[in-house]
Amino acid sequence: GQQLNQSPQSMFIQEGEDVSMNCTSSSIFNTWLWYKQDPGEGPVLLIALYKAGELTSNGRLTAQFGITRKDSFLNISASIPSDVGIYFCAGRSLSDSNYQLIWGAGTKLIIKP
Amino acid sequence: DSGVTQTPKHLITATGQRVTLRCSPRSGDLSVYWYQQSLDQGLQFLIHYYNGEERAKGNILERFSAQQFPDLHSELNLSSLELGDSALYFCASSATGNPPLHFGNGTRLTVT
């Protein structure tokens, strides 16, 4: 099925570093969502964005809805060990009247010891 | 704890068989979504039910079907199973008009 282009695929970082990941789409979206999935668990919604240009924070996490409505990024500041996991972006296209989200393939965050 | 319960947690079965996965949504949520997640992949949307009615279908095979019952729990039926059906199957629920907010911990299906 259709997927968003999410990058990077994985990141190896030191504790305390800032992290940035992004998603791009060929379609215009009216909703961007960022989820985190821990091993053996279902995804957890971190941030939801509903308007182009919107910048939203959730603790050390900040996400933005791109002005073109075709991209979004997620930043994590001062990473800590519990940030490890897989981060997924998901989007809802303009033509979708339900939440048939299109999902990115995920960014795996690994913190170097 | 998301409040969404999925059973069973693991399921191992043979090709050609039929299985039923069960989901109890978070209390008060009327929407139930089913997703398939293959190894190291994103989630593929299968189907969405709202208050007992099918709302949207995604990439769901004809061998798969689902329903949502009056008590709002949902079942995903997978038949004529193939090796490629091995995956994690997630259920998510939400209140009206919201994106899938609460995910269960999934059912890991292994077809041998």
Side-chain angles (χ1 to χ4, degrees), chain A residues 35 37 42-43 45 99-100 103, chain B residues 35 37 45 57 90 100-101 104:
Chain A
Y35 293 82
Q37 186 176 24
L45 182 64
Y99 271 101
Q100 289 192 66
W103 291 73
Chain B
Y35 289 90
Q37 185 179 36
F45 169 70
K57 260 186 176 178
F90 285 104
L101 284 175

Side-chain angles (χ1 to χ4, degrees), chain A residues 83-99:
Chain A
D83 290 334
V84 298
I86 304 177
Y87 291 80
F88 290 101
C89 63
R92 176 185 176 187
S93 70
L94 272 180
S95 60
D96 175 22
S97 59
N98 297 292
Y99 271 101

Side-chain angles (χ1 to χ4, degrees), chain A residues 1-3 33 35 37 40-45 48 50 86 88 92 98-101 103-106 108, chain B residues 9 33 35 37 40-45 48 55-59 88 90 97-101 103-105:
Chain A
Q2 183 182 357
Q3 282 196 318
L33 306 166
Y35 293 82
Q37 186 176 24
E41 298 184 11
V44 173
L45 182 64
Y50 298 105
I86 304 177
F88 290 101
R92 176 185 176 187
N98 297 292
Y99 271 101
Q100 289 192 66
L101 296 175
W103 291 73
K108 191 170 187 176
Chain B
K9 193 171 174 63
Y33 304 81
Y35 289 90
Q37 185 179 36
D40 293 334
Q41 304 248 339
L43 281 76
Q44 296 292 328
F45 169 70
H48 169 205
R55 271 291 176 91
K57 260 186 176 178
N59 298 320
L88 266 169
F90 285 104
N98 284 333
L101 284 175
F103 278 78
N105 285 335

Side-chain angles (χ1 to χ4, degrees), chain A residues 60-95:
Chain A
R60 293 176 296 104
L61 278 62
T62 302
Q64 185 159 26
F65 193 141
I67 290 292
T68 65
R69 294 197 280 176
K70 292 185 177 181
D71 61 350
S72 177
F73 72 75
L74 175 70
N75 286 342
I76 305 173
S77 63
S79 56
I80 60 177
S82 62
D83 290 334
V84 298
I86 304 177
Y87 291 80
F88 290 101
C89 63
R92 176 185 176 187
S93 70
L94 272 180
S95 60

